[in-house]
Amino acid sequence: MNKYKNPALTVDAIVKFDENIVLIKRAREPFKGAWALPGGFVEYGENVEMAMERELEEETGLKSTGMDLFGVYSDPHRDPRGHTVSLVFIVEAEGVLNAGDDASDVRLFPLKKLPPMAFDHERIVQDYKELCS
């Protein structure tokens, strides 16, 4: 038994197509019905790149063709389920958008006109937009 309380590890993707990014509509709590970056928990025995590829394909139907680490987001209060640390990747992808797994919808949104987002994803996208400007 682990006597230490540790944060969970997650991955999130910024997938850009022209001036749009891919967002999923969450099918489960927390934030059911809210828009979010594709992503999820890293499974035991998986490296973060594998987790990012798996989550992207499960939630959006897209296959990663390359990724770069964008940032690490670790605010202990970013997820109501508990302390999570997320590695955020900028991902290049191909394929046809198709919502799956815990996504009820997947769409492209213009970077200049994004809906309200779950977790701290608005901050993540704002940081990305500042980097790109």
Side-chain angles (χ1 to χ4, degrees):
M1 181 172 185
N2 187 356
K3 65 180 180 177
Y4 301 104
K5 201 169 182 182
N6 298 315
L9 183 61
T10 63
V11 291
D12 291 302
I14 298 170
V15 184
K16 187 174 177 198
F17 284 98
D18 298 318
E19 296 303 312
N20 301 307
I21 63 169
V22 175
L23 296 179
I24 59 113
K25 185 179 265 189
R26 292 184 54 80
R28 299 181 189 148
E29 294 295 347
F31 302 108
K32 182 178 179 179
W35 292 98
L37 295 168
F41 289 95
V42 177
E43 295 177 358
Y44 188 80
E46 200 175 40
N47 68 40
V48 294
E49 293 84 4
M50 289 168 49
M52 186 73 272
E53 290 172 348
R54 175 183 52 75
E55 287 288 349
L56 182 69
E57 190 168 356
E58 286 176 358
E59 293 185 348
T60 70
L62 300 175
K63 290 191 183 283
S64 170
T65 59
M67 69 181 78
D68 291 304
L69 182 63
F70 172 67
V72 177
Y73 291 79
S74 61
D75 182 329
H77 307 290
R78 66 183 301 274
D79 188 326
R81 295 170 290 194
H83 187 181
T84 62
V85 174
S86 186
L87 293 133
V88 180
F89 291 90
I90 298 172
V91 179
E92 295 175 22
E94 62 186 16
V96 177
L97 290 175
N98 184 27
D101 192 37
D102 64 350
S104 64
D105 195 3
V106 60
R107 291 189 199 163
L108 292 173
F109 284 90
L111 269 172
K112 293 182 179 181
K113 192 174 182 185
L114 296 170
M117 287 184 269
F119 305 103
D120 57 354
H121 292 186
E122 287 180 35
R123 176 180 168 219
I124 293 169
V125 173
Q126 184 60 40
D127 290 349
Y128 173 73
K129 287 174 21 178
E130 288 174 11
L131 177 76
C132 294
S133 58

